[in-house]
Amino acid sequence: MSRVRAAADAGVDPSLSGLSKAVTDKLGKLGIARKFDLVLHLPLRYDDETVLCPIADAMPGGEVLVQGTVTDCDIKYRPKRQLVCRIADGSGEELTLRFLNFYGNQVKLLAPGNLIRAFGSVRLGHLGAEMVHPRFRVVNGEMPVAQSLTPVYPTTAGLGQDTLRRLIARALADEALAETLPQALLQSLGLPAFAAAVKLLHNPPPDIAQATLQGRSHPAWRRMKFDELLAQQLSMRVHYQRRRAAGAPVLRARGDRIRALLARLPFQLTAAQNRVLAQVRDDLGQPHPMQRLLQGDVGSGKTIVAALAAVHCIENGYQAAVMAPTEILAEQHYHKFAEWLEPLGIRVAWLSGGLKKTDKKQSLAEIAQGEAAVAVGTHALFEDEVVFKNLGLAIIDEQHRFGVHQRLALRMKGAKPNKGAQPHQLMMSATPIPRTLAMSYYADLDVSVIDEMPPGRTPVVTKLVSEERRDEVIQRVRDACVAGRQAYWVCPLIEESEKLQLQTALDTHAHLQETFPELRVGLVHGRMKAAEKQDVMAAFKAGDVQLLVATTVIEVGVDVPNASLMVIEHAERMGLSQLHQLRGRVGRGAAESACVLLYQAPLSPMAKERLKVIYEHTDGFEIARQDLQLRGPGELLGARQSGVPMLRFADLAVDLDLLDAAREAAEVLLRDAPEVAKGHLVRWLGGRNEYLKV
Ligand code: ADP
Ligand code: MG
């Protein structure tokens, strides 16, 4: 243990002091803030400069180190200005070194008669073998070849490999590379010691199988990945425990009003809903805040679970807040909650940015005085003027759309009147991610999954249709609407320009309205005022509008069971989870539903693969799994807003075994050897608390 502590406390000077501001700025761009970060800055690849290759053996295609005397060096002007130099080494052949950009100094270094050592890839030019822009130096006297492979580091403009190599070599020599982890743990995982692993990765011996370095499967690489994953898991668990150490109101299961609500529902909860509800209610009865994420595919019925959790809270005399990321979704939650709870004598208040002044004032007063037991709203709920009488539960829908600060703000609102006790938090997400990924990314939360759909849904038929057959699709939309059903028309995502996207939506709306004079065609987009959006959605819900043209704002949560047809334009531009979310808007009623994915031919192979996945699968978790395989976890999750940085070394698509091991080790270390855990965290995170989350 003392050795571990030494590792944390050692380090001569942990900062980067002594370097110029220009250099530290550039290092900062690479994420290097302290000396130890240099140790952790691992090579992208390696050059083999350990053997001199006779020029006669320098074959096109490979990268080699050669040495020869300059026989000739000339500036040529055809086809364009360039420096062409020839070297010979007595092996019988000459090699051309070609420089398309060069300095006067280089011309001097390459003067005939000088002995040159050059490294580069060989290709076939019209004078025979040549190197374009090789790295070279003049050899004076004895100059041994490198003993290990030469690392090539990720870098940034203005920071050369030589500088980086020098800085890293010095850091490797200066820093104490003491072990942070117990021998027994390393042995059981078959991982090498830390010092040996980093030294090997920075300066591999020439006889190493380069493929294991490149593919990052070498035990040294696995050690670094494990350490990184362990640091991530430890940090997330520490934050989880810290939050858990806070007090929370103990909300006991009473149940009269829960039973009344269940009795009034036109359906029975599924087994999955019952299971997660039991988990939530159990958490609510604990004296520390719940931190639970409720995952469930689109349409799996998360809202009713949230409502029942709110009732559980209210039965104990506390208030519940329900927050959604968009006006449309928040408004819909408001109606649902009011419909379910007001008959039980529970007052539900509505709060959004678009509210009239007087209405807002009234909502605020009801929330402050506790007349409203539930407040439903958007970001407006975070604002300072919103004061709860006694908030016991915060429900956050589509949690990944909210930032850390917002979640924190809501928690603090609960803490104030409750003498520091924090409200319970229930977060919901319809963005399914594979279980394994969830274990990593949500290591700071408890996760419940609704893995079953309510009965009686007719599966949505998905059709892939080329843009050329747009007219047929338009006809089909008309038929559905005339037959009394409703449809969505989703306009393409235009990432480059929001303005263009808006214009496309306006044009499509105008065109469809013109095509269907007998139908009412509505339009909803992100730039509309909240009240306008609400009006359109209400009209669509009431059936007054038959066809709704929309941008992707309807992606989350909208629930209109009579809508049974959806057309998505330029489906090839959208992400799989987005398409899945959009498609989830139909198939909510009894009518047979369809989703038409219009695409622009020709499709790239990747786009083809992705559309195939959405065409073949309806289960969100399966789609997410395939998406993960196609794109890798980084792109799938994006950098999580909550502050978890992407992993640098580990790749969750391949290193799941290490992730499992890291999870397990984190639990054990935090329980049995907190000092070891701390030492490891300090090494990997230093002063930066990059895994800090709320
Ligand atoms: P999501 O999980 O996507 O938020 P919702 O909570 O909006 O899904 O539920 C989708 C629809 O299913 C709603 O109309 C809801 O009333 C209905 N629903 C929820 N649970 C059940 C159930 N057990 N049986 C039948 N319908 C249900
Ligand atoms: Mg929902």
Side-chain angles (χ1 to χ4, degrees), residues 296-303 329 332-333 397-398 428-430 556-558 585 588:
D297 206 345
V298 186
S300 61
K302 295 182 290 294
T303 320
L329 192 52
Q332 187 175 286
H333 280 336
D397 201 5
E398 301 296 334
M428 300 195 282
S429 168
V556 283
V558 175
R585 305 300 114 219
R588 303 189 147 230

Side-chain angles (χ1 to χ4, degrees), residues 188-253:
S188 73
L189 296 169
L191 295 174
F194 178 80
V198 271
K199 282 183 187 157
L200 180 134
L201 291 175
H202 283 291
N203 299 300
D207 58 350
I208 199 163
Q210 275 228 42
T212 62
L213 293 181
Q214 221 56 64
R216 298 190 170 185
S217 61
H218 191 280
W221 260 119
R222 285 177 56 83
R223 170 68 207 256
M224 302 310 285
K225 293 170 169 192
F226 177 78
D227 277 24
E228 177 181 48
L229 288 165
L230 180 63
Q232 184 203 41
Q233 292 291 313
L234 283 172
S235 145
M236 291 174 91
R237 290 313 288 176
V238 166
H239 286 292
Y240 173 86
Q241 288 178 352
R242 211 171 277 163
R243 289 191 308 249
R244 207 178 153 91
V250 174
L251 306 174
R252 293 184 202 290

